[in-house]
Amino acid sequence: MAKVTLKIKRYDPEREPASWWSEHALEAEPSERVLDLLNRVKWEQDGTLSFRRSCGHGICGSDSMRIDGANRLACKTLVSELGSAITIEPLLGMRVQKDLIVDLEPFFAAYRTVKPYFISNAPPPPDGRERLQTPAQRLRFDDTTKCILCACCTASCPSFWASSEYIGPASIVQAHRFIFDSRDEGAGERLQVAGETMGVWRCHTAFNCTLACPRGINITQAIGEVKRALATGRVE
Amino acid sequence: MTHHHQFDAVIVGAGGAGLMAALQAARLTNVAVISKMYPTRSHTGTAQGGIAAPLGNMEEDHWEWYMYDTVKGGDYLVDQDAAEILARESVEAIYELEHMGLPFDRTEEGRIEQRRFGGHTRDYGKGPVMRSCKSADRTGHMILQTLYQNCIKHNVRFFDEFFVADVLVHDGVARGVVAVEIATGELHLFHAKAVLLASGGFGRMFAVTSNAHSLTGEPVAALYRRGLPLEDMEFFQFHPTGIYKMGILLSEAARGEGGVLLNGRGERFLENYVPTLMDLAPRDMLSRFIYQEVAAGRGVDGKDYVYLDIRPETINRYGSAPGGRTVTAAELEEKLPDIIEMMRVYMGVEPMREPVPIQPTAHYAMGGIPTDNDGRVLAGPAHTVSGLYAAGECACVSVHGANRLGTNSLVDLVVFGRRGGKALGEFCRRADYAPLPPQAEAEAQGALAELRASRGRERVGTLRSELQRVMMDKVGVFRKAAGMREALSTVRALKERYTQIGLDDRGGTFNTDLLEAFELGALLDLAEVTAASALQRTESRGAQYRDDFPERDDTHWLKHTLAYCSEGASVRPTRGEVRFEAKPVVVTRFEPKPRTY
């Protein structure tokens, strides 16, 4: 057990218009997750503290937040990785609704613009079975299938901070997942969206997204591949 | 103020079952999906290992073998007409998912690759079979994403971050739901021709669980509070391989790829219990055997855990990989990337060099809202509620009986989500709106206002952890009458203390204090039903093991439990006792036999 202090950026529009900081002293095991600490604050000290969480092990993508200045999932960040003073803030560049909860509607709206669903006009095989795809074709887009839409990448992107109209890295990751799927026929439509003013060309390869991704997706590379497809007119 | 909506069909829950149902129903009628979280946060996304279907892409397989495994895995409490549907329709459901774009792993020939999974056998139990279709160890994630993507494609209407406070069922007819918009705290009244519940499980009643924080079962409790029965609630599955103390799941796929369980002496102890299937025996059995090893002093360092060992040298020493072939660390990393990362992140263990401490974790409710094979909710052993449907983990068809096979949760939600969604859509095409009762939302509104204003001395967190502890200790893997009576009286005392609760947050905006308090009320009711159902079933079957009744008793207990609240219809936690009724098990092809592996 070690003593840690959580410093949490708070905001509640029903209480006061400005944000403030609350501080909480806790005894914590090194193996505890930051989410465990937030839960203990909520359950034992201050029930008004609000944050999203669900699965608690890095898959559902609910508890993305800024922990000591980096976008991370609270359930995938252990006390042992941090110092004795931990600072927690909501994601940057998104409207804060309460405490650590940000408005994700614009994020999901941007996601929907890239047509994040399978498009194929060819009917499935006449025997009703699966479309064929080789392991190599499947591997081509494997990395971007891992995205959990947590928004850690988009909320770490300087281009997104500069212009919230930018569709952001998460949307491009989703576009990539379909553009490079050998079964999909919607690459043209998606590349058109990706090539617009608020599309991939806003990316200046800061690599923040790749560093922030809790799923370890090589986001900058995926964006680069979409740019290349746009520049060359070829998906390969 | 209350917002009013009218949709032909309202679906509660946006995991695999809810989204599958929404896609089906949306072809026939107008649909709204209400979800406590953004749909991609749903717990289906955490399912790891795979989804079964006898495609025969790797080796010979047949739906009859799969049906047999499901029935035997469920210790013969499975309704066999439902199991036949599951086994047959799994094949077209998998192809449908592939046609929707789901990125399955592939064989060299380009077909869907399959692997072994617990309890899935060839030729009626002769040995493991490769039946589980998968995307590495993130199959549930791919299913959830694919279904949500298709809902976007088909413009399904979502109400994200709304929780359901009441399901409006009057005179045997469903009429809608009352929900709270979490962002504002405002009430929304949904008037519908039909409602389908797909709210998932409620494993948060246990202290060590693989279940998400959000899995608290409010819609299930809502039906129980309204006088409808819950089926087979005593059967709760403990998955054998949860990360020690944390309960995070490490998929059976680890054992499907050759991983083995070892006791504190480094022995492959399952040789002594289930020599044919060993590490791929069903979950209920493995959880018991782990605790038996622990009780015999053969846990690791005398403690309450054993090891899951996926080191390549261990797998190769035992020849435990499929076909006895040799495996390398690189292959394992490719097949099990997420769980290997979880072992590293949460345990600080390097699984390619050392074994991983595991213990059983509360995982899956076999029981729930009784339905027929088209998702229609039952009001009793033989009659249904008009316009009310359920699918997925919250439902009990019953296709899992007393113990669910690995992969079958995903199969259940696509097969029965699909059937339920179709039935829901067809019902809406021919039915009219049943009128809402006057002030339909008033009762929920009153209960929530009272909760929000409460200033008692009891805290949600304290009551919940006491509940989780007593359920884990007394209504877990091993049960006996005295312990369950103690659990029941503790739960009832907690329900009493729940009336003395105090909240900190009185606001409307994202009042998660209120939400957690409401969720706790549902957990208390469902825990009471679980403990009472377990106590009245004086036998051991599947996931229910009783020290005081160690044998299965087909003469008296080859039947489903229906549990009702004995008094009142309310939106609040129940105050009456639990009353029981029996429902026969459908036996078609396979007569009950002793269950050995």
Side-chain angles (χ1 to χ4, degrees):
Chain A
M1 285 290 217
K3 283 192 194 317
V4 295
T5 308
L6 281 193
K7 193 175 159 201
I8 307 172
K9 192 168 189 185
R10 308 292 298 272
Y11 170 69
D12 182 350
E14 293 179 64
R15 278 162 75 170
E16 57 177 276
S19 61
W20 74 96
W21 294 87
S22 65
E23 284 200 13
H24 310 270
L26 295 166
E27 294 276 325
E29 297 277 0
S31 60
E32 279 189 280
R33 296 159 274 200
V34 170
L35 177 60
D36 296 322
L37 305 189
L38 289 171
N39 276 332
R40 279 168 49 198
V41 169
K42 181 171 184 63
W43 298 339
E44 296 161 15
Q45 301 183 14
D46 178 1
T48 68
L49 176 64
S50 298
F51 48 94
R52 293 188 176 102
R53 85 286 177 274
S54 189
C55 81
H57 62 281
I59 304 294
C60 79
S62 297
D63 59 353
S64 46
M65 52 189 73
R66 208 166 147 83
I67 300 171
D68 285 348
N71 290 355
R72 308 186 65 171
L73 300 178
C75 64
K76 212 175 171 180
T77 307
L78 303 192
V79 171
S80 58
E81 302 169 53
L82 305 168
S84 59
I86 303 169
T87 305
I88 302 178
E89 302 161 82
L91 294 176
L92 283 186
M94 297 179 170
R95 185 176 69 90
V96 180
Q97 292 176 290
K98 186 180 178 189
D99 295 341
L100 303 172
I101 296 175
V102 295
D103 182 4
L104 288 171
E105 288 300 325
F107 173 80
F108 280 101
Y111 158 73
R112 288 191 293 267
T113 64
V114 302
K115 306 190 179 191
Y117 41 78
F118 188 65
I119 296 174
S120 172
N121 298 313
D127 62 3
R129 295 174 70 188
E130 68 268 55
R131 291 183 169 86
L132 298 181
Q133 184 169 55
T134 67
Q137 288 171 327
R138 169 65 182 79
L139 190 61
R140 179 66 189 85
F141 64 101
D142 187 62
D143 201 34
T144 46
T145 64
K146 296 188 299 195
C147 175
I148 55 175
L149 294 165
C150 66
C152 279
C153 59
T154 296
S156 75
C157 173
S159 300
F160 174 77
W161 295 337
S163 169
S164 62
E165 297 296 305
Y166 170 40
I167 60 172
S171 300
I172 302 169
V173 163
Q174 292 291 332
H176 180 281
R177 176 256 171 270
F178 291 100
I179 291 169
F180 292 91
D181 183 336
S182 58
R183 303 167 299 170
D184 185 89
E185 296 171 355
E189 299 167 59
R190 293 192 188 91
L191 284 170
Q192 195 179 341
V193 177
E196 284 167 6
T197 328
M198 286 299 165
V200 286
W201 306 115
R202 292 260 151 184
C203 164
H204 302 304
T205 57
F207 280 95
N208 284 14
C209 53
T210 303
L211 293 172
C213 179
R215 302 287 286 154
I217 301 170
N218 288 312
I219 302 176
T220 310
Q221 185 184 327
I223 296 174
E225 289 172 1
V226 174
K227 285 179 179 170
R228 197 163 62 230
L230 272 167
T232 63
R234 286 198 308 275
V235 173
E236 53 199 16
Chain B
M1 86 173 246
T2 302
H3 304 262
H4 291 257
H5 309 271
Q6 199 176 52
F7 291 92
D8 288 354
V10 166
I11 292 173
V12 176
L19 296 179
M20 193 66 172
L23 285 171
Q24 297 298 330
R27 293 178 187 165
L28 300 166
T29 192
N30 83 323
V31 180
V33 180
I34 302 174
S35 173
K36 196 157 75 166
M37 298 168 296
Y38 278 99
T40 58
R41 316 300 184 214
S42 303
H43 208 54
T44 297
T46 66
Q48 298 165 354
I51 175 165
L55 306 183
N57 283 356
M58 318 296 290
E59 56 184 326
E60 183 183 353
D61 201 4
H62 302 281
W63 70 261
E64 293 92 338
W65 295 356
Y66 177 26
M67 176 188 168
Y68 171 78
D69 291 336
T70 298
V71 171
K72 180 180 173 185
D75 218 348
Y76 295 91
L77 197 72
V78 172
D79 286 317
Q80 295 188 16
D81 54 343
E84 180 165 338
I85 289 170
L86 181 93
R88 283 172 176 269
E89 294 187 8
S90 64
V91 175
E92 57 187 87
I94 292 292
Y95 291 140
E96 189 176 334
L97 289 173
E98 198 281 331
H99 298 162
M100 286 184 199
L102 197 142
F104 285 111
D105 291 347
R106 300 292 174 151
T107 66
E108 289 305 320
E109 299 76 43
R111 299 222 167 264
I112 295 170
E113 190 175 58
Q114 299 179 276
R115 74 168 142 225
R116 307 182 307 178
F117 230 79
H120 291 275
T121 71
R122 64 182 154 77
D123 202 9
Y124 307 102
K126 297 233 166 65
V129 72
M130 287 185 265
R131 183 180 291 150
S132 172
C133 310
K134 37 106 188 175
S135 292
D137 55 358
R138 44 181 89 106
T139 314
H141 166 74
M142 300 300 187
I143 291 175
L144 184 66
Q145 295 284 328
T146 301
L147 292 174
Y148 184 54
Q149 291 157 1
N150 279 272
C151 285
I152 293 172
K153 185 175 182 177
H154 296 290
N155 289 311
V156 172
R157 178 80 188 270
F158 284 95
F159 291 85
D160 296 329
E161 301 193 315
F162 281 58
F163 75 90
V164 165
D166 197 8
V167 181
L168 300 169
V169 179
H170 294 273
D171 304 325
V173 180
R175 295 151 197 265
V177 303
V178 181
V180 177
E181 181 176 4
I182 300 171
T184 61
E186 286 169 3
L187 221 57
H188 291 249
L189 176 60
F190 291 83
H191 187 197
K193 291 179 181 177
V195 174
L196 184 142
L197 302 180
S199 58
F202 31 85
R204 279 280 149 184
M205 69 171 71
F206 294 101
V208 176
T209 178
S210 64
N211 279 205
H213 287 285
S214 49
L215 288 172
T216 46
E218 304 81 76
V220 182
L223 292 195
Y224 177 69
R225 290 167 180 177
R226 290 289 175 200
L228 291 172
L230 299 179
E231 181 174 351
D232 290 345
M233 292 288 282
E234 59 270 44
F235 298 105
F236 205 99
Q237 178 171 83
F238 283 73
H239 191 293
T241 56
I243 290 180
Y244 184 50
K245 288 187 178 168
M246 302 176 102
I248 297 170
L249 196 72
L250 299 175
S251 169
E252 218 156 292
R255 286 169 280 128
E257 299 296 351
V260 296
L261 297 179
L262 301 177
N263 66 17
R265 297 177 182 170
E267 298 160 340
R268 200 178 178 197
F269 60 94
L270 294 171
E271 287 170 349
N272 305 323
Y273 297 93
V274 271
T276 307
L277 284 190
M278 299 239 260
D279 303 278
L280 291 171
R283 293 171 177 174
D284 57 331
M285 294 182 157
L286 296 188
S287 289
R288 274 200 295 282
F289 302 151
I290 288 168
Y291 279 133
Q292 282 174 15
E293 285 299 290
V294 165
R298 295 191 291 271
V300 177
D301 298 332
K303 294 200 182 124
D304 58 342
Y305 66 92
V306 298
Y307 282 133
L308 170 63
D309 194 335
I310 63 162
R311 288 176 291 185
E313 74 250 35
T314 306
I315 294 174
N316 294 333
R317 185 167 71 242
Y318 287 111
S320 52
R325 65 182 168 73
T326 303
V327 298
T328 63
E331 274 173 70
L332 291 168
E333 298 259 10
E334 186 191 314
K335 289 180 190 292
L336 307 167
D338 281 6
I339 62 168
I340 287 173
E341 188 194 27
M342 285 176 206
M343 293 167 181
R344 287 179 180 139
V345 170
Y346 295 110
M347 293 303 295
V349 163
E350 178 37 63
M352 294 298 110
R353 285 201 304 273
E354 51 193 330
V356 183
I358 56 100
Q359 69 178 171
T361 181
H363 184 53
Y364 187 87
M366 270 72 72
I369 304 163
T371 72
D372 70 7
N373 293 335
D374 289 306
R376 280 183 280 263
V377 172
L378 305 183
H383 61 289
T384 57
V385 183
S386 176
L388 189 60
Y389 297 78
E393 187 173 347
C394 73
C396 180
V397 180
S398 165
V399 85
H400 307 304
N403 171 62
R404 173 173 73 71
L405 282 195
T407 77
N408 271 5
S409 58
L410 295 178
V411 188
D412 178 4
L413 56 84
V414 298
V415 167
F416 290 97
R418 196 158 161 257
R419 291 177 73 94
K422 276 185 193 159
L424 171 76
E426 284 159 10
F427 176 88
C428 288
R429 285 174 74 129
R430 56 174 195 271
D432 287 325
Y433 283 89
L436 286 172
Q439 302 198 307
E441 77 279 26
E443 210 186 328
Q445 196 165 26
L448 288 164
E450 202 175 283
L451 204 51
R452 188 182 310 199
S454 61
R455 291 174 189 278
R457 58 193 159 73
E458 298 287 358
R459 289 193 71 87
V460 173
T462 312
L463 299 189
R464 186 177 43 215
S465 59
E466 287 182 36
L467 172 73
Q468 291 167 336
R469 187 37 62 201
V470 76
M471 289 300 288
M472 194 76 194
D473 291 346
K474 308 293 181 190
V475 199
V477 173
F478 289 95
R479 301 168 171 182
K480 54 178 180 274
M484 289 188 284
R485 280 199 196 95
E486 190 187 322
L488 259 181
S489 71
T490 304
V491 173
R492 285 177 182 145
L494 289 168
K495 289 177 84 162
E496 201 50 48
R497 287 167 62 192
Y498 181 75
T499 63
Q500 304 301 315
I501 215 162
L503 263 56
D504 294 341
D505 197 337
R506 314 207 178 279
T509 311
F510 284 100
N511 189 339
T512 51
D513 201 18
L514 174 71
L515 173 57
E516 289 195 23
F518 189 76
E519 290 172 332
L520 173 61
L523 282 181
L524 286 166
D525 278 351
L526 297 177
E528 183 183 18
V529 180
T530 300
S533 300
L535 181 61
Q536 56 98 41
R537 182 177 285 271
T538 50
E539 66 156 354
S540 292
R541 181 187 297 273
Q544 152 123 325
Y545 186 85
R546 291 192 53 161
D547 291 318
D548 45 0
F549 296 93
E551 301 297 325
R552 195 175 82 192
D553 177 0
D554 287 336
T555 313
H556 299 99
W557 287 107
L558 186 62
K559 59 186 182 188
H560 299 290
T561 302
L562 291 182
Y564 301 77
C565 179
S566 61
E567 64 179 63
S570 169
V571 71
R572 292 180 165 78
T574 60
R575 307 194 66 90
E577 300 277 303
V578 189
R579 169 175 74 77
F580 296 101
E581 210 171 23
K583 177 171 164 272
V585 175
V586 179
V587 177
T588 58
R589 286 171 181 259
F590 305 111
E591 285 300 319
K593 281 194 287 205
R595 190 163 162 253
T596 56
Y597 287 95

